Amino acid sequence: MYRILSQNEHFLVLAKGPGIGMHDEAGVSGLVSLVRADTGLELYPVHRLDKMTSGLLLLARTPQVNRALSMSFAQRQVSKQYLALSDCKPKKKQGWIKGDMQKGRGGSWLLTRSLDNPAISWFDSTPVREGLRLFRIKPQTGKTHQIRVAMKSIGAPILGDERYGGSPAERGYLHAWRLDFTLWDTPFAFECPPEPGSAFACPELAAAIARLAP
């Protein structure tokens, strides 16, 4: 379900597995409850990842740290990078994706052309192998399903994300890859290689990630 990648007196950094929600649902413990039970710590989620999304997750250990980090996220002072796979050809290979988010049917969201309070993401991409493309997404805002809707809007829904038109797969191939932030003048940087999943395990992926890495 998760691994602890780093911890100190202020926060824990987890590698979240796909398929587990953040919070308790229908009698099933969510990730935050599981980590609290396993560690005996009172933890506060600073941000959230969708159930299908794997990768870096930050949990604060005190309300003070939670407020400080939450403010950094709200003020766009945190750098987030995600990796996604799609088996569809995108309308463009890199650039900005901007638009307001509108509720659709069954809990889904739509990206509109208006820019009153837009979701904003930047992305670039590179081929992995025939029929599979890797995307790096840098969301500038934190709207619900933002990356998933953005990928659909460029004609490249995430592999396994059937809610937004992705081809069936054993998981949704969206991964929180890198996280950079500052807490009380101390900089932190974390990276978590994408896993699990057969498509993330393909031998060509490492070279594709290297082409996108700064």
Side-chain angles (χ1 to χ4, degrees):
M1 296 293 188
Y2 74 93
R3 291 182 292 115
I4 297 177
L5 298 181
S6 181
Q7 60 181 312
N8 56 36
E9 69 271 26
H10 300 306
F11 57 78
L12 270 64
V13 180
L14 306 181
K16 174 190 174 296
I20 181 171
M22 291 287 295
H23 303 293
D24 301 349
E25 184 178 351
V28 178
S29 295
L31 181 63
V32 177
S33 292
L34 286 176
V35 182
R36 284 172 176 163
D38 291 345
T39 63
L41 299 173
E42 184 59 47
L43 299 167
Y44 306 85
V46 177
H47 60 126
R48 67 181 298 276
L49 297 177
D50 287 347
K51 182 180 289 187
M52 79 169 201
T53 307
S54 58
L56 292 169
L57 183 69
L58 191 58
L59 300 178
R61 294 186 58 173
T62 67
Q64 294 83 0
V65 172
N66 187 36
R67 282 194 295 271
L69 291 174
S70 296
M71 185 173 295
S72 294
F73 272 86
Q75 295 176 350
R76 305 183 188 179
Q77 297 170 346
V78 178
S79 173
K80 299 170 286 182
Q81 297 188 47
Y82 289 74
L83 297 177
L85 292 175
S86 179
D87 59 355
C88 300
K89 184 178 180 180
K91 298 175 184 176
K92 58 181 181 178
K93 296 179 180 179
Q94 68 177 43
W96 291 98
I97 305 172
K98 302 179 182 180
D100 290 327
M101 301 281 287
Q102 177 181 312
K103 280 189 175 181
R105 295 180 178 178
S108 297
W109 291 81
L110 305 171
L111 193 70
T112 70
R113 294 185 177 182
S114 61
L115 296 171
D116 297 324
N117 182 23
I120 303 172
S121 303
W122 181 89
F123 81 98
D124 57 359
S125 65
T126 187
V128 178
R129 63 187 184 204
E130 184 68 28
L132 188 66
R133 193 169 190 89
L134 175 69
F135 294 77
R136 171 175 57 173
I137 306 99
K138 297 181 178 180
Q140 306 299 302
T141 52
K143 311 289 187 181
T144 300
H145 292 188
Q146 174 173 327
I147 295 174
R148 299 165 66 182
V149 174
M151 291 286 290
K152 179 182 179 181
S153 76
I154 60 169
I158 296 168
L159 180 64
D161 188 9
E162 296 185 56
R163 174 184 286 273
Y164 290 104
S167 299
E170 79 275 21
R171 62 158 294 184
Y173 278 90
L174 178 61
H175 179 81
W177 178 41
R178 288 183 167 180
L179 195 60
D180 296 82
F181 59 91
T182 298
L183 178 64
W184 297 320
D185 299 322
T186 301
F188 295 92
F190 298 97
E191 181 177 315
C192 179
E195 59 174 354
S198 58
F200 276 150
C202 74
E204 301 92 346
L205 187 69
I209 292 175
R211 290 194 294 272
L212 294 180

